[in-house]
Amino acid sequence: LVPRPSLSLHPSQGVSLGDNVTLRCHLPQLAAWVRLYREGHLSYAKRKKKEQDAAEFSYVGTLREHAGRYRCQYSVSESAEVSVKSDPVELVLTDVRYPPSSISIHPEQHVGTGTNVTIRCWNKDYGATFLLHKDGSSDPIKHQNSRGGGAANFTFLVVTPAYSGTYRCSYRPRGYPFVSSPLGDSVMLEVTPTPAPPGGSEPPICMPPVMDGWLCLCIQSAWGLWLATGTPKLLDPTGAEEQSRANLVMALVRGFVAALVFGLGVF
């Protein structure tokens, strides 16, 4: 079995129409020939012979028709079995003739944890597919077809501080899935943690309160609710009676705790 090659794009992003770009096919072993395919074309786009380590295919002054999804393939000799094709790489070209999209954020840029946030992107109606970008991510994090409405809403439910960051929009006009508008203006989302409830770390309070004549035990449930149980305490028992009743109390308490834990596990 001939090992699969891999394909990379240089530069990997931000390529505009007219820029130079190189697709590099990385070869696990010496190849007699290497082919580069563009999806949708029956014949190979380009072919090179006698390549070792990597084969490079370059476009000087990219055109709209160069945009697309590419794979590469090789053979160790002219007559040998060919490798499977590499995983795909997309060459997306930015066309500055398309105006950048606008962006807004709701309800506001500064929100607390658990809030639902919507980022809206819009432009003139190109029947576009909108893409949402977050600074620091190499690929778009979301995409949505505008369905002819010229706008897209990207909603994040119950946000956490991990959603904080700078967001921008781009779009791809109908019929040109690998041609993109430039990135538009940005919005900043800042999610602040919700403070813990007051007294969340305070010692538990027994209910009913500890009173003279009662032994009280507090138990924390799965929901953080403190429950309590009690048993009568003799005011002045003898030593033997005290020990016997203490043992009885502990047995009752252990049984109650076991039943409570089992009940909480069921529900």
mmCIF file with all atom_site columns, all heavy atoms in Angstrom, residues 66-85:
data_model
loop_
_atom_site.group_PDB
_atom_site.id
_atom_site.type_symbol
_atom_site.label_atom_id
_atom_site.label_alt_id
_atom_site.label_comp_id
_atom_site.label_asym_id
_atom_site.label_entity_id
_atom_site.label_seq_id
_atom_site.pdbx_PDB_ins_code
_atom_site.Cartn_x
_atom_site.Cartn_y
_atom_site.Cartn_z
_atom_site.occupancy
_atom_site.B_iso_or_equiv
_atom_site.pdbx_formal_charge
_atom_site.auth_seq_id
_atom_site.auth_comp_id
_atom_site.auth_asym_id
_atom_site.auth_atom_id
_atom_site.pdbx_PDB_model_num
ATOM 1   N N   . HIS A 1 66 ? -8.580  29.924 -10.387 1.00 0.00 ? 66 HIS A N   1
ATOM 2   C CA  . HIS A 1 66 ? -7.636  29.124 -9.588  1.00 0.00 ? 66 HIS A CA  1
ATOM 3   C C   . HIS A 1 66 ? -8.205  28.758 -8.221  1.00 0.00 ? 66 HIS A C   1
ATOM 4   O O   . HIS A 1 66 ? -7.707  27.841 -7.564  1.00 0.00 ? 66 HIS A O   1
ATOM 5   C CB  . HIS A 1 66 ? -6.319  29.894 -9.392  1.00 0.00 ? 66 HIS A CB  1
ATOM 6   C CG  . HIS A 1 66 ? -5.558  30.082 -10.655 1.00 0.00 ? 66 HIS A CG  1
ATOM 7   N ND1 . HIS A 1 66 ? -4.749  31.182 -10.891 1.00 0.00 ? 66 HIS A ND1 1
ATOM 8   C CD2 . HIS A 1 66 ? -5.465  29.315 -11.779 1.00 0.00 ? 66 HIS A CD2 1
ATOM 9   C CE1 . HIS A 1 66 ? -4.199  31.088 -12.090 1.00 0.00 ? 66 HIS A CE1 1
ATOM 10  N NE2 . HIS A 1 66 ? -4.615  29.966 -12.646 1.00 0.00 ? 66 HIS A NE2 1
ATOM 11  N N   . ALA A 1 67 ? -9.214  29.476 -7.777  1.00 0.00 ? 67 ALA A N   1
ATOM 12  C CA  . ALA A 1 67 ? -9.813  29.186 -6.474  1.00 0.00 ? 67 ALA A CA  1
ATOM 13  C C   . ALA A 1 67 ? -10.505 27.828 -6.518  1.00 0.00 ? 67 ALA A C   1
ATOM 14  O O   . ALA A 1 67 ? -11.070 27.436 -7.539  1.00 0.00 ? 67 ALA A O   1
ATOM 15  C CB  . ALA A 1 67 ? -10.813 30.282 -6.104  1.00 0.00 ? 67 ALA A CB  1
ATOM 16  N N   . GLY A 1 68 ? -10.435 27.097 -5.408  1.00 0.00 ? 68 GLY A N   1
ATOM 17  C CA  . GLY A 1 68 ? -11.096 25.798 -5.373  1.00 0.00 ? 68 GLY A CA  1
ATOM 18  C C   . GLY A 1 68 ? -10.524 24.888 -4.310  1.00 0.00 ? 68 GLY A C   1
ATOM 19  O O   . GLY A 1 68 ? -9.718  25.297 -3.467  1.00 0.00 ? 68 GLY A O   1
ATOM 20  N N   . ARG A 1 69 ? -10.933 23.633 -4.375  1.00 0.00 ? 69 ARG A N   1
ATOM 21  C CA  . ARG A 1 69 ? -10.497 22.615 -3.409  1.00 0.00 ? 69 ARG A CA  1
ATOM 22  C C   . ARG A 1 69 ? -9.525  21.675 -4.117  1.00 0.00 ? 69 ARG A C   1
ATOM 23  O O   . ARG A 1 69 ? -9.845  21.094 -5.159  1.00 0.00 ? 69 ARG A O   1
ATOM 24  C CB  . ARG A 1 69 ? -11.714 21.862 -2.865  1.00 0.00 ? 69 ARG A CB  1
ATOM 25  C CG  . ARG A 1 69 ? -11.379 20.852 -1.780  1.00 0.00 ? 69 ARG A CG  1
ATOM 26  C CD  . ARG A 1 69 ? -12.637 20.184 -1.226  1.00 0.00 ? 69 ARG A CD  1
ATOM 27  N NE  . ARG A 1 69 ? -13.430 21.103 -0.416  1.00 0.00 ? 69 ARG A NE  1
ATOM 28  C CZ  . ARG A 1 69 ? -14.654 21.503 -0.744  1.00 0.00 ? 69 ARG A CZ  1
ATOM 29  N NH1 . ARG A 1 69 ? -15.214 21.094 -1.868  1.00 0.00 ? 69 ARG A NH1 1
ATOM 30  N NH2 . ARG A 1 69 ? -15.311 22.318 0.058   1.00 0.00 ? 69 ARG A NH2 1
ATOM 31  N N   . TYR A 1 70 ? -8.331  21.500 -3.525  1.00 0.00 ? 70 TYR A N   1
ATOM 32  C CA  . TYR A 1 70 ? -7.256  20.748 -4.174  1.00 0.00 ? 70 TYR A CA  1
ATOM 33  C C   . TYR A 1 70 ? -6.882  19.497 -3.378  1.00 0.00 ? 70 TYR A C   1
ATOM 34  O O   . TYR A 1 70 ? -6.999  19.458 -2.150  1.00 0.00 ? 70 TYR A O   1
ATOM 35  C CB  . TYR A 1 70 ? -6.003  21.619 -4.305  1.00 0.00 ? 70 TYR A CB  1
ATOM 36  C CG  . TYR A 1 70 ? -6.100  22.706 -5.362  1.00 0.00 ? 70 TYR A CG  1
ATOM 37  C CD1 . TYR A 1 70 ? -6.713  23.922 -5.080  1.00 0.00 ? 70 TYR A CD1 1
ATOM 38  C CD2 . TYR A 1 70 ? -5.562  22.511 -6.638  1.00 0.00 ? 70 TYR A CD2 1
ATOM 39  C CE1 . TYR A 1 70 ? -6.795  24.919 -6.041  1.00 0.00 ? 70 TYR A CE1 1
ATOM 40  C CE2 . TYR A 1 70 ? -5.636  23.503 -7.608  1.00 0.00 ? 70 TYR A CE2 1
ATOM 41  C CZ  . TYR A 1 70 ? -6.253  24.709 -7.306  1.00 0.00 ? 70 TYR A CZ  1
ATOM 42  O OH  . TYR A 1 70 ? -6.338  25.691 -8.257  1.00 0.00 ? 70 TYR A OH  1
ATOM 43  N N   . ARG A 1 71 ? -6.384  18.488 -4.111  1.00 0.00 ? 71 ARG A N   1
ATOM 44  C CA  . ARG A 1 71 ? -5.776  17.286 -3.542  1.00 0.00 ? 71 ARG A CA  1
ATOM 45  C C   . ARG A 1 71 ? -4.566  16.917 -4.397  1.00 0.00 ? 71 ARG A C   1
ATOM 46  O O   . ARG A 1 71 ? -4.484  17.315 -5.564  1.00 0.00 ? 71 ARG A O   1
ATOM 47  C CB  . ARG A 1 71 ? -6.761  16.097 -3.533  1.00 0.00 ? 71 ARG A CB  1
ATOM 48  C CG  . ARG A 1 71 ? -8.036  16.312 -2.741  1.00 0.00 ? 71 ARG A CG  1
ATOM 49  C CD  . ARG A 1 71 ? -8.984  15.144 -2.947  1.00 0.00 ? 71 ARG A CD  1
ATOM 50  N NE  . ARG A 1 71 ? -10.298 15.374 -2.379  1.00 0.00 ? 71 ARG A NE  1
ATOM 51  C CZ  . ARG A 1 71 ? -10.697 14.951 -1.183  1.00 0.00 ? 71 ARG A CZ  1
ATOM 52  N NH1 . ARG A 1 71 ? -9.847  14.269 -0.427  1.00 0.00 ? 71 ARG A NH1 1
ATOM 53  N NH2 . ARG A 1 71 ? -11.903 15.209 -0.747  1.00 0.00 ? 71 ARG A NH2 1
ATOM 54  N N   . CYS A 1 72 ? -3.661  16.138 -3.820  1.00 0.00 ? 72 CYS A N   1
ATOM 55  C CA  . CYS A 1 72 ? -2.527  15.649 -4.616  1.00 0.00 ? 72 CYS A CA  1
ATOM 56  C C   . CYS A 1 72 ? -2.414  14.139 -4.495  1.00 0.00 ? 72 CYS A C   1
ATOM 57  O O   . CYS A 1 72 ? -2.974  13.522 -3.583  1.00 0.00 ? 72 CYS A O   1
ATOM 58  C CB  . CYS A 1 72 ? -1.220  16.340 -4.221  1.00 0.00 ? 72 CYS A CB  1
ATOM 59  S SG  . CYS A 1 72 ? -0.574  15.935 -2.578  1.00 0.00 ? 72 CYS A SG  1
ATOM 60  N N   . GLN A 1 73 ? -1.652  13.552 -5.435  1.00 0.00 ? 73 GLN A N   1
ATOM 61  C CA  . GLN A 1 73 ? -1.499  12.105 -5.541  1.00 0.00 ? 73 GLN A CA  1
ATOM 62  C C   . GLN A 1 73 ? -0.147  11.810 -6.182  1.00 0.00 ? 73 GLN A C   1
ATOM 63  O O   . GLN A 1 73 ? 0.373   12.639 -6.922  1.00 0.00 ? 73 GLN A O   1
ATOM 64  C CB  . GLN A 1 73 ? -2.642  11.557 -6.408  1.00 0.00 ? 73 GLN A CB  1
ATOM 65  C CG  . GLN A 1 73 ? -2.721  10.056 -6.518  1.00 0.00 ? 73 GLN A CG  1
ATOM 66  C CD  . GLN A 1 73 ? -3.879  9.643  -7.433  1.00 0.00 ? 73 GLN A CD  1
ATOM 67  O OE1 . GLN A 1 73 ? -4.041  10.206 -8.519  1.00 0.00 ? 73 GLN A OE1 1
ATOM 68  N NE2 . GLN A 1 73 ? -4.672  8.686  -7.005  1.00 0.00 ? 73 GLN A NE2 1
ATOM 69  N N   . TYR A 1 74 ? 0.434   10.642 -5.879  1.00 0.00 ? 74 TYR A N   1
ATOM 70  C CA  . TYR A 1 74 ? 1.737   10.312 -6.473  1.00 0.00 ? 74 TYR A CA  1
ATOM 71  C C   . TYR A 1 74 ? 1.854   8.814  -6.717  1.00 0.00 ? 74 TYR A C   1
ATOM 72  O O   . TYR A 1 74 ? 1.040   8.010  -6.235  1.00 0.00 ? 74 TYR A O   1
ATOM 73  C CB  . TYR A 1 74 ? 2.872   10.779 -5.556  1.00 0.00 ? 74 TYR A CB  1
ATOM 74  C CG  . TYR A 1 74 ? 3.061   9.926  -4.321  1.00 0.00 ? 74 TYR A CG  1
ATOM 75  C CD1 . TYR A 1 74 ? 4.055   8.948  -4.266  1.00 0.00 ? 74 TYR A CD1 1
ATOM 76  C CD2 . TYR A 1 74 ? 2.228   10.088 -3.213  1.00 0.00 ? 74 TYR A CD2 1
ATOM 77  C CE1 . TYR A 1 74 ? 4.216   8.154  -3.146  1.00 0.00 ? 74 TYR A CE1 1
ATOM 78  C CE2 . TYR A 1 74 ? 2.380   9.308  -2.081  1.00 0.00 ? 74 TYR A CE2 1
ATOM 79  C CZ  . TYR A 1 74 ? 3.370   8.338  -2.054  1.00 0.00 ? 74 TYR A CZ  1
ATOM 80  O OH  . TYR A 1 74 ? 3.521   7.550  -0.942  1.00 0.00 ? 74 TYR A OH  1
ATOM 81  N N   . SER A 1 75 ? 2.910   8.453  -7.442  1.00 0.00 ? 75 SER A N   1
ATOM 82  C CA  . SER A 1 75 ? 3.249   7.056  -7.666  1.00 0.00 ? 75 SER A CA  1
ATOM 83  C C   . SER A 1 75 ? 4.759   6.910  -7.517  1.00 0.00 ? 75 SER A C   1
ATOM 84  O O   . SER A 1 75 ? 5.522   7.818  -7.867  1.00 0.00 ? 75 SER A O   1
ATOM 85  C CB  . SER A 1 75 ? 2.812   6.602  -9.058  1.00 0.00 ? 75 SER A CB  1
ATOM 86  O OG  . SER A 1 75 ? 3.249   5.273  -9.296  1.00 0.00 ? 75 SER A OG  1
ATOM 87  N N   . VAL A 1 76 ? 5.199   5.744  -7.015  1.00 0.00 ? 76 VAL A N   1
ATOM 88  C CA  . VAL A 1 76 ? 6.637   5.534  -6.815  1.00 0.00 ? 76 VAL A CA  1
ATOM 89  C C   . VAL A 1 76 ? 7.339   5.150  -8.110  1.00 0.00 ? 76 VAL A C   1
ATOM 90  O O   . VAL A 1 76 ? 8.562   5.225  -8.211  1.00 0.00 ? 76 VAL A O   1
ATOM 91  C CB  . VAL A 1 76 ? 6.892   4.461  -5.734  1.00 0.00 ? 76 VAL A CB  1
ATOM 92  C CG1 . VAL A 1 76 ? 6.420   4.968  -4.384  1.00 0.00 ? 76 VAL A CG1 1
ATOM 93  C CG2 . VAL A 1 76 ? 6.203   3.148  -6.089  1.00 0.00 ? 76 VAL A CG2 1
ATOM 94  N N   . SER A 1 77 ? 6.596   4.691  -9.109  1.00 0.00 ? 77 SER A N   1
ATOM 95  C CA  . SER A 1 77 ? 7.160   4.433  -10.443 1.00 0.00 ? 77 SER A CA  1
ATOM 96  C C   . SER A 1 77 ? 6.037   4.579  -11.468 1.00 0.00 ? 77 SER A C   1
ATOM 97  O O   . SER A 1 77 ? 4.862   4.622  -11.114 1.00 0.00 ? 77 SER A O   1
ATOM 98  C CB  . SER A 1 77 ? 7.782   3.034  -10.517 1.00 0.00 ? 77 SER A CB  1
ATOM 99  O OG  . SER A 1 77 ? 6.765   2.050  -10.479 1.00 0.00 ? 77 SER A OG  1
ATOM 100 N N   . GLU A 1 78 ? 6.412   4.645  -12.708 1.00 0.00 ? 78 GLU A N   1
ATOM 101 C CA  . GLU A 1 78 ? 5.411   4.876  -13.753 1.00 0.00 ? 78 GLU A CA  1
ATOM 102 C C   . GLU A 1 78 ? 4.367   3.763  -13.814 1.00 0.00 ? 78 GLU A C   1
ATOM 103 O O   . GLU A 1 78 ? 3.213   3.989  -14.159 1.00 0.00 ? 78 GLU A O   1
ATOM 104 C CB  . GLU A 1 78 ? 6.098   5.003  -15.117 1.00 0.00 ? 78 GLU A CB  1
ATOM 105 C CG  . GLU A 1 78 ? 6.894   6.282  -15.280 1.00 0.00 ? 78 GLU A CG  1
ATOM 106 C CD  . GLU A 1 78 ? 6.004   7.515  -15.326 1.00 0.00 ? 78 GLU A CD  1
ATOM 107 O OE1 . GLU A 1 78 ? 4.788   7.371  -15.564 1.00 0.00 ? 78 GLU A OE1 1
ATOM 108 O OE2 . GLU A 1 78 ? 6.532   8.619  -15.138 1.00 0.00 ? 78 GLU A OE2 1
ATOM 109 N N   . SER A 1 79 ? 4.783   2.542  -13.449 1.00 0.00 ? 79 SER A N   1
ATOM 110 C CA  . SER A 1 79 ? 3.870   1.403  -13.569 1.00 0.00 ? 79 SER A CA  1
ATOM 111 C C   . SER A 1 79 ? 3.272   0.971  -12.229 1.00 0.00 ? 79 SER A C   1
ATOM 112 O O   . SER A 1 79 ? 2.407   0.108  -12.190 1.00 0.00 ? 79 SER A O   1
ATOM 113 C CB  . SER A 1 79 ? 4.599   0.220  -14.214 1.00 0.00 ? 79 SER A CB  1
ATOM 114 O OG  . SER A 1 79 ? 5.731   -0.134 -13.425 1.00 0.00 ? 79 SER A OG  1
ATOM 115 N N   . ALA A 1 80 ? 3.777   1.556  -11.117 1.00 0.00 ? 80 ALA A N   1
ATOM 116 C CA  . ALA A 1 80 ? 3.331   1.117  -9.789  1.00 0.00 ? 80 ALA A CA  1
ATOM 117 C C   . ALA A 1 80 ? 1.952   1.673  -9.462  1.00 0.00 ? 80 ALA A C   1
ATOM 118 O O   . ALA A 1 80 ? 1.456   2.607  -10.096 1.00 0.00 ? 80 ALA A O   1
ATOM 119 C CB  . ALA A 1 80 ? 4.336   1.555  -8.736  1.00 0.00 ? 80 ALA A CB  1
ATOM 120 N N   . GLU A 1 81 ? 1.371   1.069  -8.445  1.00 0.00 ? 81 GLU A N   1
ATOM 121 C CA  . GLU A 1 81 ? 0.066   1.542  -7.958  1.00 0.00 ? 81 GLU A CA  1
ATOM 122 C C   . GLU A 1 81 ? 0.202   2.963  -7.419  1.00 0.00 ? 81 GLU A C   1
ATOM 123 O O   . GLU A 1 81 ? 1.190   3.298  -6.763  1.00 0.00 ? 81 GLU A O   1
ATOM 124 C CB  . GLU A 1 81 ? -0.439  0.611  -6.861  1.00 0.00 ? 81 GLU A CB  1
ATOM 125 C CG  . GLU A 1 81 ? -1.795  0.998  -6.292  1.00 0.00 ? 81 GLU A CG  1
ATOM 126 C CD  . GLU A 1 81 ? -2.215  0.093  -5.151  1.00 0.00 ? 81 GLU A CD  1
ATOM 127 O OE1 . GLU A 1 81 ? -1.426  -0.808 -4.791  1.00 0.00 ? 81 GLU A OE1 1
ATOM 128 O OE2 . GLU A 1 81 ? -3.317  0.299  -4.625  1.00 0.00 ? 81 GLU A OE2 1
ATOM 129 N N   . VAL A 1 82 ? -0.782  3.777  -7.684  1.00 0.00 ? 82 VAL A N   1
ATOM 130 C CA  . VAL A 1 82 ? -0.755  5.157  -7.207  1.00 0.00 ? 82 VAL A CA  1
ATOM 131 C C   . VAL A 1 82 ? -1.291  5.233  -5.783  1.00 0.00 ? 82 VAL A C   1
ATOM 132 O O   . VAL A 1 82 ? -2.025  4.354  -5.327  1.00 0.00 ? 82 VAL A O   1
ATOM 133 C CB  . VAL A 1 82 ? -1.567  6.080  -8.137  1.00 0.00 ? 82 VAL A CB  1
ATOM 134 C CG1 . VAL A 1 82 ? -1.008  6.071  -9.538  1.00 0.00 ? 82 VAL A CG1 1
ATOM 135 C CG2 . VAL A 1 82 ? -3.038  5.685  -8.139  1.00 0.00 ? 82 VAL A CG2 1
ATOM 136 N N   . SER A 1 83 ? -0.899  6.285  -5.080  1.00 0.00 ? 83 SER A N   1
ATOM 137 C CA  . SER A 1 83 ? -1.387  6.508  -3.718  1.00 0.00 ? 83 SER A CA  1
ATOM 138 C C   . SER A 1 83 ? -2.837  6.981  -3.755  1.00 0.00 ? 83 SER A C   1
ATOM 139 O O   . SER A 1 83 ? -3.351  7.402  -4.797  1.00 0.00 ? 83 SER A O   1
ATOM 140 C CB  . SER A 1 83 ? -0.534  7.574  -3.030  1.00 0.00 ? 83 SER A CB  1
ATOM 141 O OG  . SER A 1 83 ? -0.801  8.848  -3.595  1.00 0.00 ? 83 SER A OG  1
ATOM 142 N N   . VAL A 1 84 ? -3.483  6.916  -2.597  1.00 0.00 ? 84 VAL A N   1
ATOM 143 C CA  . VAL A 1 84 ? -4.779  7.577  -2.471  1.00 0.00 ? 84 VAL A CA  1
ATOM 144 C C   . VAL A 1 84 ? -4.518  9.088  -2.476  1.00 0.00 ? 84 VAL A C   1
ATOM 145 O O   . VAL A 1 84 ? -3.403  9.546  -2.198  1.00 0.00 ? 84 VAL A O   1
ATOM 146 C CB  . VAL A 1 84 ? -5.505  7.159  -1.176  1.00 0.00 ? 84 VAL A CB  1
ATOM 147 C CG1 . VAL A 1 84 ? -5.831  5.689  -1.215  1.00 0.00 ? 84 VAL A CG1 1
ATOM 148 C CG2 . VAL A 1 84 ? -4.661  7.496  0.053   1.00 0.00 ? 84 VAL A CG2 1
ATOM 149 N N   . LYS A 1 85 ? -5.527  9.858  -2.778  1.00 0.00 ? 85 LYS A N   1
ATOM 150 C CA  . LYS A 1 85 ? -5.361  11.305 -2.808  1.00 0.00 ? 85 LYS A CA  1
ATOM 151 C C   . LYS A 1 85 ? -5.252  11.851 -1.390  1.00 0.00 ? 85 LYS A C   1
ATOM 152 O O   . LYS A 1 85 ? -5.776  11.274 -0.430  1.00 0.00 ? 85 LYS A O   1
ATOM 153 C CB  . LYS A 1 85 ? -6.538  11.966 -3.532  1.00 0.00 ? 85 LYS A CB  1
ATOM 154 C CG  . LYS A 1 85 ? -6.566  11.659 -5.025  1.00 0.00 ? 85 LYS A CG  1
ATOM 155 C CD  . LYS A 1 85 ? -7.760  12.318 -5.708  1.00 0.00 ? 85 LYS A CD  1
ATOM 156 C CE  . LYS A 1 85 ? -7.778  11.985 -7.190  1.00 0.00 ? 85 LYS A CE  1
ATOM 157 N NZ  . LYS A 1 85 ? -8.955  12.568 -7.876  1.00 0.00 ? 85 LYS A NZ  1
#
